[in-house]
Amino acid sequence: MAVHCPECGFVNPEGANYCQKCGAYVGGPAEGGEGDEPTTMTYTVDDTGEMQPVDIDETIERSGAALVIRAGGGRAGESFALGEDRVSIGRSPDAGVFLDDVTVSRNHALLVRRRDGLYIDDLGSLNGTYVNRRRIESHRLADGDEIQVGKYKLSYLEK
């Protein structure tokens, strides 16, 4: 029996956990849904691969903005400071926001600081980039925006 995506309606093969078109979770109750405990600890992964707890408010104060993974890949709570003018998002190990999953393109999206704020630009990714559940090509981010890249859902936080 086929599995219909609750986000985009795409018909996925039986047994699929994620939509092949938009990357939304289709394998059962959505991650981070009601009944799940909210993630309160944020962390970053250091050069040795170890998780280091971080104070997200301090990170935002220092860098001006941050992305926090809310769901996807078992990495909920991982944070990325966004202090640079350009930060890449993708499956490439060189990406500033490295998301290692086949639902993420190697060079998926780019965060770019422009005169009037921080923008996320899709780089022609196969599965697209979504902000607040809408597929975008370029979007000016606002505090609290939900970004979806493949199966990952991230929150954008700024001071």
Side-chain angles (χ1 to χ4, degrees):
M1 181 173 154
V3 179
H4 291 268
C5 176
E7 297 294 321
C8 71
F10 185 79
V11 179
N12 293 278
E14 183 177 357
N17 288 325
Y18 295 93
C19 178
Q20 292 177 348
K21 184 174 181 184
C22 74
Y25 188 71
V26 297
E31 295 177 42
E34 291 181 19
D36 289 351
E37 287 296 315
T39 301
T40 56
M41 186 188 99
T42 54
Y43 66 92
T44 187
V45 177
D46 66 17
D47 295 337
T48 66
E50 296 293 318
M51 292 189 305
Q52 300 297 324
V54 296
D55 180 339
I56 194 65
D57 293 328
E58 190 176 296
T59 300
I60 294 168
E61 186 66 35
R62 189 175 59 252
S63 64
L67 282 180
V68 178
I69 297 177
R70 287 192 14 233
R75 294 171 57 187
E78 186 172 352
S79 63
F80 302 90
L82 304 176
E84 300 174 21
D85 288 340
R86 297 171 68 88
V87 178
S88 60
I89 300 173
R91 202 176 69 236
S92 169
D94 297 332
V97 179
F98 174 52
L99 302 174
D100 190 18
D101 187 76
V102 296
T103 61
V104 179
S105 296
R106 187 169 301 280
N107 297 304
H108 198 101
L110 184 65
L111 296 161
V112 182
R113 192 166 309 283
R114 297 189 177 121
R115 221 175 292 131
D116 60 337
L118 189 68
Y119 283 76
I120 185 167
D121 297 337
D122 184 78
L123 299 176
S125 64
L126 183 62
N127 289 326
T129 301
Y130 295 77
V131 177
N132 301 326
R133 298 184 179 213
R134 298 180 116 168
R135 191 169 183 155
I136 58 96
E137 288 184 26
S138 182
H139 179 85
R140 182 174 179 259
L141 292 170
D143 186 42
D145 278 350
E146 177 188 272
I147 300 168
Q148 183 169 345
V149 175
K151 71 177 185 180
Y152 294 91
K153 289 187 179 179
L154 305 100
S155 290
Y156 172 73
L157 305 170
E158 68 181 15
K159 63 178 177 177

